[in-house]
Amino acid sequence: MRDLDALPKAHLHVHLESTVRPETLREIGAANGVAVPDPPSGERPFAGFRQFADHGTLVRDCLRRPEDFARVAAEFCADEAARGTRYAEVTFTAASHGERLGRPEMPLAAVLDGLAAGQAEHGIECGVILDHSRRRSVERAWATLGLARRFAADGVVAIGMAGDEAHPLAPFAEVIAAAADAGVHLVHHAGESSGAASIREAIGIGRAERLGHGIRVLDDPGLVAEVRDRAIPLEVCPSSNVALGLADSFAAHPLPALRAAGLAVTLNTDVPSVTGTTLTGEFTRVREVFGATDAELAGLARAGIDASFAPEPTKARLRGAAAAWLAAPAA
C-alpha cells in the first residue's frame, strides 16, 4: 500500500474556524481574555446540530485580533501541507467576524495575509470560500458578496450558503444572481441534514457549482441522474457526518453508494477539530473500512483536483503528481 500522506490531494470542504490547533486556541483565548470551549471528544461529541453550531460560536469568539486570524490561517497551511494537501479551498465566515468586531474587512484581510505567508513557506496553494448562514440576514449576505468581489484578486474564489438547511435559499436569490453575474463561484451546503429538496434548491435558485455534502441525493433517483448528468461534484465528509449523527457509523456511510451511482465524489474533512481526523486520515479510513484500492483512492484525489476552482496549470500539475504516486511501486 502506498503512503497516503504522499498522495497529492485537493481539500475542498474545510472550515477554517474548525482547524484551529488546540494549543493555539488556548493561547489566543488567554491573550484576549476569552473562555475557551473544551475540545470535542468521542465519535459523536454533540447532541445535535444546534449544539455543534454553538460550540463553533465559542471558538469564533476567541478570534479577535488581526494576528489571531493570520496565525490560524498560516498554521492551516502548515498542517495541510504536512498531510499531502497541495491545494485547498478553505471556508471562512468573514462577514460574520467583521460584523462582530466592527471591522468589516479586517478578519478576511488578516486570513489572506496568513494564507499568503503559509503558502510561501509550505508550498501549498489556497483559495477561500466565504460562507453565510442561512439563518442570518440578507444584508450580511450582500456584505459577504462585497468581500468576495473586493478580495477576488487576493484569493477569494467563491461564496456559499451554509448552516441549517431548514432555512430556504429563496431570500438570497438576488445575492446569488449578482454573484453569478460577477463571476463569483457558488458552493452551497445542501443534502446534509435535509433531504433531496434542499439539493434541488441549491442547484436551482442557488446555481451551485458544487454541493457541500450532498449525501441525501440518494433519496431521489431522478435527482441522482440530474446531478450526475450535470457533473455537479459532491464535497463528501464522512467522519463529520458520523460526528453529527447523519450517518450511523463510518461503515454505514453512503460514500460507496454515491460513487457506485457515478457521481463526482470528493473526499474532505469539514470540521477536523471536531472529528479529530485529517484529510489523510479520511483517505485512510476509506481504505480500511471500504477496502478501497490505491487506484480508487487516487481516483478520489483526482476528483477533488478536477472539482476545484484551481487554475488549470495547477490542476494539470496535481493530476500528474497523483498519477505518478499511483505509478510508483507500492511499499
Side-chain angles (χ1 to χ4, degrees):
M1 294 188 293
R2 294 165 180 83
D3 179 5
L4 289 173
D5 272 338
L7 173 62
K9 297 179 283 293
H11 200 173
L12 306 183
H13 190 125
V14 56
H15 294 265
L16 182 63
E17 299 92 335
S18 291
T19 71
V20 183
R21 297 171 181 173
E23 63 273 20
T24 295
L25 190 63
R26 287 194 296 269
E27 291 173 12
I28 288 175
N32 292 328
V34 181
V36 176
D38 293 330
S41 62
E43 189 174 58
R44 291 190 177 175
F46 302 111
F49 185 85
R50 185 70 263 147
Q51 193 178 90
F52 160 71
D54 290 344
H55 172 82
T57 298
L58 294 175
V59 171
R60 288 192 295 275
D61 191 48
C62 293
L63 306 174
R64 300 195 173 191
R65 305 165 299 169
E67 54 264 40
D68 301 337
F69 293 100
R71 177 180 177 180
V72 300
E75 290 179 351
F76 169 79
C77 292
D79 293 343
E80 289 293 316
R83 294 292 178 258
T85 299
R86 304 283 188 87
Y87 176 83
E89 289 171 5
V90 62
T91 296
F92 181 56
T93 315
S96 174
H97 286 291
E99 184 178 297
R100 171 174 63 89
L101 298 170
R103 302 176 66 183
E105 294 188 353
M106 180 277 285
L108 178 57
V111 162
L112 291 169
D113 286 345
L115 290 176
Q119 289 175 87
E121 182 175 357
H122 299 289
I124 185 174
E125 295 182 44
C126 295
V128 177
I129 298 171
L130 303 182
D131 68 337
H132 173 77
S133 172
R134 298 162 180 257
R135 298 174 56 239
R136 303 304 179 185
S137 70
V138 173
E139 289 74 22
R140 187 189 286 177
W142 280 113
T144 297
L145 177 56
L147 289 170
R149 288 167 161 166
R150 163 76 174 79
F151 290 96
D154 300 300
V156 176
V157 297
I159 67 170
M161 301 297 163
D164 188 347
E165 294 165 18
H167 295 266
L169 290 184
F172 305 102
E174 289 187 18
V175 182
I176 289 165
D181 290 344
V184 177
H185 293 294
L186 291 157
V187 182
H188 308 303
H189 287 55
E192 179 189 17
S193 57
S194 294
S198 74
I199 296 176
R200 290 196 178 279
E201 183 183 51
I203 64 178
I205 292 172
R207 308 189 190 194
E209 298 167 67
R210 294 197 311 250
L211 292 168
H213 298 285
I215 58 174
R216 295 288 298 277
V217 67
L218 295 173
D219 294 355
D220 183 338
L223 183 59
V224 170
E226 181 177 356
V227 171
R228 181 181 61 237
D229 294 347
R230 292 176 59 179
I232 300 172
L234 309 182
E235 302 165 353
V236 179
C237 312
S239 292
S240 169
N241 297 153
V242 174
L244 297 183
L246 304 173
D248 290 337
S249 66
F250 203 98
H253 193 275
L255 184 143
L258 294 166
R259 298 190 71 225
L263 297 165
V265 173
T266 72
L267 193 60
N268 308 275
T269 63
D270 189 20
V271 285
S273 65
V274 171
T275 62
T277 191
T278 63
L279 188 55
T280 292
E282 210 75 348
F283 273 80
T284 299
R285 294 189 79 181
V286 170
R287 170 189 271 170
E288 294 174 349
V289 175
F290 298 127
T293 64
D294 283 358
E296 290 169 330
L297 294 168
L300 277 170
R302 168 67 182 263
I305 295 164
D306 291 345
S308 76
F309 300 130
E312 283 304 322
T314 297
K315 290 186 178 184
R317 177 171 52 81
L318 295 186
R319 290 179 189 120
W325 176 86
L326 186 60

